[in-house]
mmCIF file of all heavy atoms in Angstrom:
data_model
loop_
_atom_site.group_PDB
_atom_site.id
_atom_site.type_symbol
_atom_site.label_atom_id
_atom_site.label_comp_id
_atom_site.label_asym_id
_atom_site.label_seq_id
_atom_site.Cartn_x
_atom_site.Cartn_y
_atom_site.Cartn_z
ATOM 1 N N THR A 20 -16.202 12.139 16.615
ATOM 2 C CA THR A 20 -16.655 11.512 17.854
ATOM 3 C C THR A 20 -16.554 12.496 19.012
ATOM 4 O O THR A 20 -17.471 12.653 19.816
ATOM 5 C CB THR A 20 -15.796 10.281 18.162
ATOM 6 O OG1 THR A 20 -15.679 9.513 17.003
ATOM 7 C CG2 THR A 20 -16.409 9.478 19.265
ATOM 8 N N VAL A 23 -19.326 14.874 18.895
ATOM 9 C CA VAL A 23 -20.674 14.378 19.212
ATOM 10 C C VAL A 23 -20.846 14.266 20.710
ATOM 11 O O VAL A 23 -21.899 14.631 21.257
ATOM 12 C CB VAL A 23 -20.916 13.027 18.519
ATOM 13 C CG1 VAL A 23 -22.192 12.389 19.045
ATOM 14 C CG2 VAL A 23 -21.015 13.201 17.027
ATOM 15 N N LEU A 24 -19.853 13.749 21.410
ATOM 16 C CA LEU A 24 -20.064 13.397 22.800
ATOM 17 C C LEU A 24 -20.215 14.569 23.762
ATOM 18 O O LEU A 24 -21.239 14.689 24.423
ATOM 19 C CB LEU A 24 -18.948 12.452 23.271
ATOM 20 C CG LEU A 24 -19.097 11.021 22.729
ATOM 21 C CD1 LEU A 24 -18.042 10.132 23.352
ATOM 22 C CD2 LEU A 24 -20.476 10.469 22.987
ATOM 23 N N PRO A 25 -19.273 15.498 23.860
ATOM 24 C CA PRO A 25 -19.409 16.471 24.948
ATOM 25 C C PRO A 25 -20.172 17.734 24.574
ATOM 26 O O PRO A 25 -20.513 18.509 25.474
ATOM 27 C CB PRO A 25 -17.950 16.806 25.275
ATOM 28 C CG PRO A 25 -17.162 16.389 24.105
ATOM 29 C CD PRO A 25 -18.031 15.667 23.153
ATOM 30 N N ARG A 26 -20.446 17.987 23.317
ATOM 31 C CA ARG A 26 -21.054 19.268 22.946
ATOM 32 C C ARG A 26 -22.516 19.310 23.314
ATOM 33 O O ARG A 26 -23.179 18.267 23.413
ATOM 34 C CB ARG A 26 -20.909 19.511 21.430
ATOM 35 C CG ARG A 26 -19.490 19.651 20.973
ATOM 36 C CD ARG A 26 -18.720 20.698 21.763
ATOM 37 N NE ARG A 26 -19.309 22.018 21.618
ATOM 38 C CZ ARG A 26 -18.852 22.920 20.762
ATOM 39 N NH1 ARG A 26 -17.805 22.671 20.028
ATOM 40 N NH2 ARG A 26 -19.424 24.089 20.681
ATOM 41 N N ARG A 27 -23.049 20.517 23.505
ATOM 42 C CA ARG A 27 -24.421 20.677 23.920
ATOM 43 C C ARG A 27 -25.330 21.179 22.797
ATOM 44 O O ARG A 27 -26.520 20.909 22.801
ATOM 45 C CB ARG A 27 -24.501 21.662 25.092
ATOM 46 C CG ARG A 27 -23.841 21.130 26.330
ATOM 47 C CD ARG A 27 -23.778 22.168 27.398
ATOM 48 N NE ARG A 27 -25.111 22.521 27.867
ATOM 49 C CZ ARG A 27 -25.329 23.412 28.824
ATOM 50 N NH1 ARG A 27 -24.317 24.010 29.403
ATOM 51 N NH2 ARG A 27 -26.557 23.694 29.201
ATOM 52 N N MET A 39 -17.960 12.967 10.504
ATOM 53 C CA MET A 39 -17.739 11.519 10.577
ATOM 54 C C MET A 39 -18.113 10.828 9.264
ATOM 55 O O MET A 39 -17.387 9.933 8.784
ATOM 56 C CB MET A 39 -18.554 10.928 11.732
ATOM 57 C CG MET A 39 -18.023 11.310 13.110
ATOM 58 S SD MET A 39 -19.217 11.028 14.409
ATOM 59 C CE MET A 39 -18.932 9.319 14.739
ATOM 60 N N ILE A 99 -29.133 20.146 24.019
ATOM 61 C CA ILE A 99 -29.671 18.808 24.251
ATOM 62 C C ILE A 99 -29.739 18.487 25.741
ATOM 63 O O ILE A 99 -30.337 17.496 26.129
ATOM 64 C CB ILE A 99 -28.859 17.718 23.523
ATOM 65 C CG1 ILE A 99 -27.415 17.736 24.011
ATOM 66 C CG2 ILE A 99 -28.941 17.885 22.036
ATOM 67 C CD1 ILE A 99 -26.714 16.454 23.718
ATOM 68 N N GLU A 100 -29.120 19.313 26.560
ATOM 69 C CA GLU A 100 -29.195 19.058 28.002
ATOM 70 C C GLU A 100 -30.636 19.190 28.505
ATOM 71 O O GLU A 100 -31.008 18.561 29.492
ATOM 72 C CB GLU A 100 -28.305 20.045 28.772
ATOM 73 C CG GLU A 100 -26.828 19.836 28.557
ATOM 74 C CD GLU A 100 -26.318 18.621 29.331
ATOM 75 O OE1 GLU A 100 -26.612 18.514 30.520
ATOM 76 O OE2 GLU A 100 -25.629 17.778 28.718
ATOM 77 N N LEU A 102 -33.206 18.268 27.009
ATOM 78 C CA LEU A 102 -34.074 17.195 26.482
ATOM 79 C C LEU A 102 -33.881 15.944 27.319
ATOM 80 O O LEU A 102 -32.915 15.202 27.128
ATOM 81 C CB LEU A 102 -33.721 16.905 25.026
ATOM 82 C CG LEU A 102 -33.961 18.060 24.076
ATOM 83 C CD1 LEU A 102 -33.423 17.716 22.715
ATOM 84 C CD2 LEU A 102 -35.430 18.372 24.011
ATOM 85 N N ARG A 103 -34.769 15.718 28.250
ATOM 86 C CA ARG A 103 -34.688 14.490 29.038
ATOM 87 C C ARG A 103 -36.058 13.840 29.095
ATOM 88 O O ARG A 103 -36.520 13.428 30.143
ATOM 89 C CB ARG A 103 -34.199 14.809 30.447
ATOM 90 C CG ARG A 103 -32.830 15.492 30.405
ATOM 91 C CD ARG A 103 -32.027 15.200 31.629
ATOM 92 N NE ARG A 103 -30.668 15.629 31.421
ATOM 93 C CZ ARG A 103 -29.682 15.309 32.251
ATOM 94 N NH1 ARG A 103 -29.925 14.593 33.321
ATOM 95 N NH2 ARG A 103 -28.456 15.701 32.000
ATOM 96 N N LEU A 104 -36.681 13.804 27.945
ATOM 97 C CA LEU A 104 -38.034 13.270 27.925
ATOM 98 C C LEU A 104 -38.043 11.742 27.915
ATOM 99 O O LEU A 104 -38.927 11.108 28.473
ATOM 100 C CB LEU A 104 -38.774 13.765 26.680
ATOM 101 C CG LEU A 104 -38.860 15.285 26.583
ATOM 102 C CD1 LEU A 104 -39.435 15.699 25.255
ATOM 103 C CD2 LEU A 104 -39.716 15.820 27.727
ATOM 104 N N LEU A 105 -37.050 11.154 27.268
ATOM 105 C CA LEU A 105 -37.046 9.690 27.114
ATOM 106 C C LEU A 105 -36.467 9.048 28.365
ATOM 107 O O LEU A 105 -35.328 8.641 28.409
ATOM 108 C CB LEU A 105 -36.208 9.298 25.907
ATOM 109 C CG LEU A 105 -36.863 9.527 24.558
ATOM 110 C CD1 LEU A 105 -35.877 9.244 23.454
ATOM 111 C CD2 LEU A 105 -38.072 8.637 24.412
ATOM 112 N N ARG A 106 -37.240 8.981 29.397
ATOM 113 C CA ARG A 106 -36.714 8.485 30.646
ATOM 114 C C ARG A 106 -37.758 7.624 31.321
ATOM 115 O O ARG A 106 -38.934 7.866 31.185
ATOM 116 C CB ARG A 106 -36.374 9.674 31.545
ATOM 117 C CG ARG A 106 -35.262 9.389 32.444
ATOM 118 C CD ARG A 106 -34.978 10.572 33.299
ATOM 119 N NE ARG A 106 -34.711 9.965 34.541
ATOM 120 C CZ ARG A 106 -33.545 9.754 35.120
ATOM 121 N NH1 ARG A 106 -32.692 10.190 34.731
ATOM 122 N NH2 ARG A 106 -33.284 9.133 36.189
ATOM 123 N N TRP A 107 -37.307 6.603 32.038
ATOM 124 C CA TRP A 107 -38.268 5.742 32.718
ATOM 125 C C TRP A 107 -38.889 6.444 33.905
ATOM 126 O O TRP A 107 -38.299 7.299 34.505
ATOM 127 C CB TRP A 107 -37.629 4.421 33.192
ATOM 128 C CG TRP A 107 -36.284 4.550 33.811
ATOM 129 C CD1 TRP A 107 -35.087 4.614 33.155
ATOM 130 C CD2 TRP A 107 -35.985 4.689 35.190
ATOM 131 N NE1 TRP A 107 -34.057 4.764 34.032
ATOM 132 C CE2 TRP A 107 -34.579 4.805 35.287
ATOM 133 C CE3 TRP A 107 -36.746 4.719 36.371
ATOM 134 C CZ2 TRP A 107 -33.918 4.943 36.528
ATOM 135 C CZ3 TRP A 107 -36.077 4.844 37.569
ATOM 136 C CH2 TRP A 107 -34.664 4.967 37.652
ATOM 137 N N LYS B 715 -32.744 -0.871 32.894
ATOM 138 C CA LYS B 715 -33.419 0.417 32.710
ATOM 139 C C LYS B 715 -32.618 1.555 33.344
ATOM 140 O O LYS B 715 -32.818 2.717 32.990
ATOM 141 C CB LYS B 715 -34.834 0.356 33.297
ATOM 142 C CG LYS B 715 -34.944 0.732 34.757
ATOM 143 C CD LYS B 715 -36.375 0.793 35.183
ATOM 144 C CE LYS B 715 -36.476 1.118 36.669
ATOM 145 N NZ LYS B 715 -37.837 1.059 37.164
ATOM 146 N N LEU B 716 -31.689 1.193 34.265
ATOM 147 C CA LEU B 716 -30.857 2.231 34.852
ATOM 148 C C LEU B 716 -30.019 2.933 33.786
ATOM 149 O O LEU B 716 -29.581 4.050 33.957
ATOM 150 C CB LEU B 716 -29.947 1.631 35.926
ATOM 151 C CG LEU B 716 -30.714 1.013 37.087
ATOM 152 C CD1 LEU B 716 -29.744 0.384 38.076
ATOM 153 C CD2 LEU B 716 -31.586 2.047 37.781
ATOM 154 N N PHE B 717 -29.754 2.224 32.671
ATOM 155 C CA PHE B 717 -28.965 2.828 31.625
ATOM 156 C C PHE B 717 -29.763 3.859 30.835
ATOM 157 O O PHE B 717 -29.203 4.677 30.136
ATOM 158 C CB PHE B 717 -28.460 1.748 30.656
ATOM 159 C CG PHE B 717 -27.369 0.923 31.243
ATOM 160 C CD1 PHE B 717 -27.657 -0.172 32.023
ATOM 161 C CD2 PHE B 717 -26.041 1.254 31.028
ATOM 162 C CE1 PHE B 717 -26.664 -0.937 32.563
ATOM 163 C CE2 PHE B 717 -25.033 0.498 31.581
ATOM 164 C CZ PHE B 717 -25.341 -0.591 32.348
ATOM 165 N N GLN B 718 -31.056 3.771 30.979
ATOM 166 C CA GLN B 718 -31.886 4.686 30.183
ATOM 167 C C GLN B 718 -32.102 5.976 30.956
ATOM 168 O O GLN B 718 -33.062 6.141 31.686
ATOM 169 C CB GLN B 718 -33.229 4.034 29.836
ATOM 170 C CG GLN B 718 -33.968 4.797 28.775
ATOM 171 C CD GLN B 718 -35.335 4.231 28.531
ATOM 172 O OE1 GLN B 718 -35.723 3.258 29.149
ATOM 173 N NE2 GLN B 718 -36.081 4.865 27.650
ATOM 174 N N THR B 719 -31.139 6.893 30.779
ATOM 175 C CA THR B 719 -31.166 8.089 31.614
ATOM 176 C C THR B 719 -31.966 9.204 30.974
ATOM 177 O O THR B 719 -32.259 10.194 31.628
ATOM 178 C CB THR B 719 -29.734 8.582 31.833
ATOM 179 O OG1 THR B 719 -29.140 8.747 30.544
ATOM 180 C CG2 THR B 719 -28.950 7.584 32.627
ATOM 181 N N GLY B 720 -32.275 9.051 29.701
ATOM 182 C CA GLY B 720 -32.948 10.137 29.019
ATOM 183 C C GLY B 720 -31.977 11.158 28.453
ATOM 184 O O GLY B 720 -32.372 12.073 27.743
ATOM 185 N N VAL B 721 -30.673 11.016 28.764
ATOM 186 C CA VAL B 721 -29.679 11.950 28.230
ATOM 187 C C VAL B 721 -29.098 11.341 26.962
ATOM 188 O O VAL B 721 -28.530 10.246 26.989
ATOM 189 C CB VAL B 721 -28.557 12.194 29.253
ATOM 190 C CG1 VAL B 721 -27.561 13.205 28.702
ATOM 191 C CG2 VAL B 721 -29.148 12.663 30.549
ATOM 192 N N VAL B 722 -29.262 12.052 25.842
ATOM 193 C CA VAL B 722 -28.839 11.507 24.560
ATOM 194 C C VAL B 722 -27.361 11.178 24.594
ATOM 195 O O VAL B 722 -26.919 10.165 24.037
ATOM 196 C CB VAL B 722 -29.119 12.528 23.445
ATOM 197 C CG1 VAL B 722 -28.806 11.918 22.097
ATOM 198 C CG2 VAL B 722 -30.542 12.988 23.521
ATOM 199 N N ARG B 723 -26.608 12.001 25.291
ATOM 200 C CA ARG B 723 -25.166 11.842 25.300
ATOM 201 C C ARG B 723 -24.772 10.482 25.860
ATOM 202 O O ARG B 723 -23.887 9.809 25.330
ATOM 203 C CB ARG B 723 -24.549 12.955 26.136
ATOM 204 C CG ARG B 723 -23.061 12.889 26.233
ATOM 205 C CD ARG B 723 -22.562 14.073 26.979
ATOM 206 N NE ARG B 723 -22.887 15.307 26.268
ATOM 207 C CZ ARG B 723 -23.557 16.319 26.816
ATOM 208 N NH1 ARG B 723 -23.974 16.239 28.053
ATOM 209 N NH2 ARG B 723 -23.788 17.407 26.114
ATOM 210 N N HIS B 724 -25.497 10.068 26.913
ATOM 211 C CA HIS B 724 -25.154 8.770 27.502
ATOM 212 C C HIS B 724 -25.390 7.642 26.505
ATOM 213 O O HIS B 724 -24.578 6.732 26.380
ATOM 214 C CB HIS B 724 -25.992 8.530 28.760
ATOM 215 C CG HIS B 724 -25.654 9.502 29.856
ATOM 216 N ND1 HIS B 724 -26.438 9.674 30.951
ATOM 217 C CD2 HIS B 724 -24.615 10.351 29.993
ATOM 218 C CE1 HIS B 724 -25.919 10.596 31.736
ATOM 219 N NE2 HIS B 724 -24.799 11.022 31.163
ATOM 220 N N TYR B 725 -26.482 7.780 25.775
ATOM 221 C CA TYR B 725 -26.719 6.750 24.749
ATOM 222 C C TYR B 725 -25.588 6.731 23.740
ATOM 223 O O TYR B 725 -25.099 5.671 23.339
ATOM 224 C CB TYR B 725 -28.022 7.020 24.010
ATOM 225 C CG TYR B 725 -29.246 7.107 24.889
ATOM 226 C CD1 TYR B 725 -30.391 7.748 24.448
ATOM 227 C CD2 TYR B 725 -29.247 6.534 26.157
ATOM 228 C CE1 TYR B 725 -31.512 7.827 25.236
ATOM 229 C CE2 TYR B 725 -30.361 6.609 26.956
ATOM 230 C CZ TYR B 725 -31.502 7.263 26.499
ATOM 231 O OH TYR B 725 -32.575 7.339 27.272
ATOM 232 N N ALA B 726 -25.181 7.921 23.339
ATOM 233 C CA ALA B 726 -24.108 8.011 22.340
ATOM 234 C C ALA B 726 -22.839 7.384 22.871
ATOM 235 O O ALA B 726 -22.115 6.702 22.135
ATOM 236 C CB ALA B 726 -23.883 9.474 21.973
ATOM 237 N N VAL B 727 -22.559 7.599 24.185
ATOM 238 C CA VAL B 727 -21.352 7.005 24.770
ATOM 239 C C VAL B 727 -21.406 5.485 24.638
ATOM 240 O O VAL B 727 -20.453 4.851 24.189
ATOM 241 C CB VAL B 727 -21.219 7.419 26.244
ATOM 242 C CG1 VAL B 727 -20.181 6.554 26.935
ATOM 243 C CG2 VAL B 727 -20.834 8.880 26.340
ATOM 244 N N LEU B 730 -20.958 4.329 21.047
ATOM 245 C CA LEU B 730 -19.584 4.379 20.575
ATOM 246 C C LEU B 730 -18.735 3.321 21.238
ATOM 247 O O LEU B 730 -17.886 2.702 20.593
ATOM 248 C CB LEU B 730 -18.998 5.768 20.835
ATOM 249 C CG LEU B 730 -19.376 6.733 19.732
ATOM 250 C CD1 LEU B 730 -19.119 8.153 20.160
ATOM 251 C CD2 LEU B 730 -18.570 6.406 18.490
ATOM 252 N N THR B 733 -19.282 0.272 19.431
ATOM 253 C CA THR B 733 -18.643 0.312 18.123
ATOM 254 C C THR B 733 -17.151 0.017 18.230
ATOM 255 O O THR B 733 -16.597 -0.756 17.454
ATOM 256 C CB THR B 733 -18.860 1.692 17.480
ATOM 257 O OG1 THR B 733 -20.223 2.048 17.651
ATOM 258 C CG2 THR B 733 -18.511 1.665 16.020
#
Side-chain angles (χ1 to χ4, degrees):
Chain A
T20 313
V23 170
L24 285 186
R26 296 307 299 262
R27 293 173 66 179
M39 289 164 84
I99 60 160
E100 291 284 311
L102 297 173
R103 302 209 168 191
L104 301 173
L105 284 174
R106 210 181 140 103
W107 43 276
Chain B
K715 89 174 178 186
L716 298 178
F717 287 85
Q718 193 186 358
T719 55
V721 182
V722 186
R723 179 176 298 125
H724 294 166
Y725 303 159
V727 166
L730 276 165
T733 314

